[in-house]
Amino acid sequence: MMEFLLGLFIGLMAVAAAYLFLIAPNPRRRLCPARKRSWMYFAHRGLHDNNRSIPENSLAAFRLAVDKGYGIELDVHLTKDHALVVHHDDSLLRLCGEDVRLSGATLEELAGYRLGDTDEIIPTLDQVLEIVKGQVPLLIELKSDRIGDTALAARVHEKMRGYQGIWWVQSFDPLLMRWFKKHAPMVIRGQLAVDQTKQKGKKPSLIEKMAGHLLFHFLSRPDFVAYGYETDSNFSFRVMRALFHPTLAAWTVRSKKEFDRLQDQYTVQIFEAFRP
């Protein structure tokens, strides 16, 4: 009986150790507070107005964020001809009215579209960098319609190597963050996640459930974790926060009330629809 209990205890300890190995963030690096507190507040897709006159991920939204001194969160895709463009969706349908996939279009083709009912173009990453010029931090989300698109990761790193300013990178895809871990470990990398089982109308796959429970951290070993804060009551998130004390980023915060409530829980807040 004692041998059975000892074996059971050892087995449970091994399972617990394996679980903690899976969900642990990078134990060697935590983000230091920014010189300006507002630099830890990132305007989600720029300081836009819900796509009325200043569309999301537009040059106008980025100029306004710089003017107000906020960090900028933006989304980057790779086009058919390997250009880096700034846009959230895989397709132009929602913002431009045409069901054109960015990965299947060239930069020249995309130049003919406008965002919503404005004259704003789909920016290139170069155009955004020319506006920002290191004045505020950038939080670059890598977007791809193909899991493990290391060409996107490599292209972003190549573009940003000579940039004179603070920039971090993040993605839902742990394989992209693993690329940075292996090839550019000095770049601050973040793992995006959300518990989709807690979102109404969502029926996540097994892979999505595992990602929401942070079980792919062993691949990316992120320097910070960007989590859908409305779903942060799940077991894995709470264990990670309690045991490892990682740098946490909340997304997407849409009211001053929520912003104030989250101040003590999250170092970074990604916001829209109001100004902190």
Side-chain angles (χ1 to χ4, degrees), residues 246-258:
T247 298
L248 298 175
W251 62 269
T252 301
V253 184
R254 293 186 170 88
S255 75
K256 185 64 164 58
K257 180 180 179 181
E258 288 295 275

Side-chain angles (χ1 to χ4, degrees), residues 23-62:
I23 70 170
N26 185 359
R28 298 183 178 87
R29 180 163 59 182
R30 296 186 64 197
L31 302 190
C32 297
R35 294 192 298 273
K36 298 180 181 179
R37 189 70 184 95
S38 64
W39 283 10
M40 305 304 279
Y41 310 147
F42 286 81
H44 188 229
R45 308 176 195 172
L47 208 54
H48 61 88
D49 61 359
N50 292 322
N51 304 321
R52 294 190 293 273
S53 60
I54 304 179
E56 65 185 55
N57 278 322
S58 67
L59 295 178
F62 301 140

Side-chain angles (χ1 to χ4, degrees), residues 66-253:
V66 170
D67 182 58
K68 299 303 180 182
Y70 295 120
I72 294 171
E73 186 270 352
L74 54 86
D75 308 280
V76 173
H77 287 263
L78 199 61
T79 65
K80 183 179 180 180
D81 52 348
H82 297 281
L84 294 170
V85 294
V86 178
H87 197 77
H88 178 267
D89 300 355
D90 295 336
S91 165
L92 302 183
L93 184 60
R94 179 171 63 91
L95 286 182
C96 302
E98 297 286 343
D99 192 10
V100 175
R101 298 191 71 80
L102 276 76
S103 60
T106 65
L107 182 59
E108 182 178 2
E109 291 168 342
L110 294 177
Y113 294 96
R114 296 295 179 268
L115 300 174
D117 295 325
T118 73
D119 292 328
E120 292 291 327
I121 62 172
I122 299 168
T124 64
L125 183 56
D126 279 329
Q127 289 171 318
V128 176
L129 298 182
E130 180 61 28
I131 286 174
V132 179
K133 294 181 178 178
Q135 297 174 81
V136 298
L138 294 175
L139 180 53
I140 301 173
E141 180 178 344
L142 305 187
K143 307 282 286 190
S144 176
D145 51 8
R146 180 169 63 85
I147 295 175
D149 188 0
T150 56
L152 172 59
R155 188 79 175 90
V156 168
H157 180 244
E158 177 186 17
K159 179 64 63 178
M160 298 301 296
R161 284 181 68 180
Y163 179 67
Q164 299 299 310
I166 297 172
W167 66 282
W168 306 339
V169 67
Q170 63 176 1
S171 179
F172 282 99
D173 187 343
L175 295 178
L176 298 188
M177 294 302 93
R178 183 180 184 179
W179 186 94
F180 274 89
K181 174 177 175 286
K182 180 178 180 180
H183 298 282
M186 296 306 295
V187 175
I188 299 293
R189 62 187 181 275
Q191 185 62 57
L192 275 159
V194 62
D195 187 349
Q196 295 191 32
T197 63
K198 297 182 182 299
Q199 294 181 313
K200 293 182 179 180
K202 294 286 187 178
K203 294 183 178 180
S205 66
L206 177 60
I207 294 295
E208 289 170 331
K209 290 179 181 178
M210 293 174 66
H213 283 271
L214 312 177
L215 296 177
F216 296 121
H217 276 186
F218 76 98
L219 293 173
S220 57
R221 287 289 180 253
D223 300 309
F224 69 95
V225 178
Y227 208 83
Y229 77 93
E230 293 176 309
T231 70
D232 69 3
S233 61
N234 85 36
F235 179 76
S236 288
F237 182 86
R238 289 187 170 187
V239 169
M240 177 199 66
R241 180 168 57 188
L243 294 184
F244 299 109
H245 308 288
T247 298
L248 298 175
W251 62 269
T252 301
V253 184

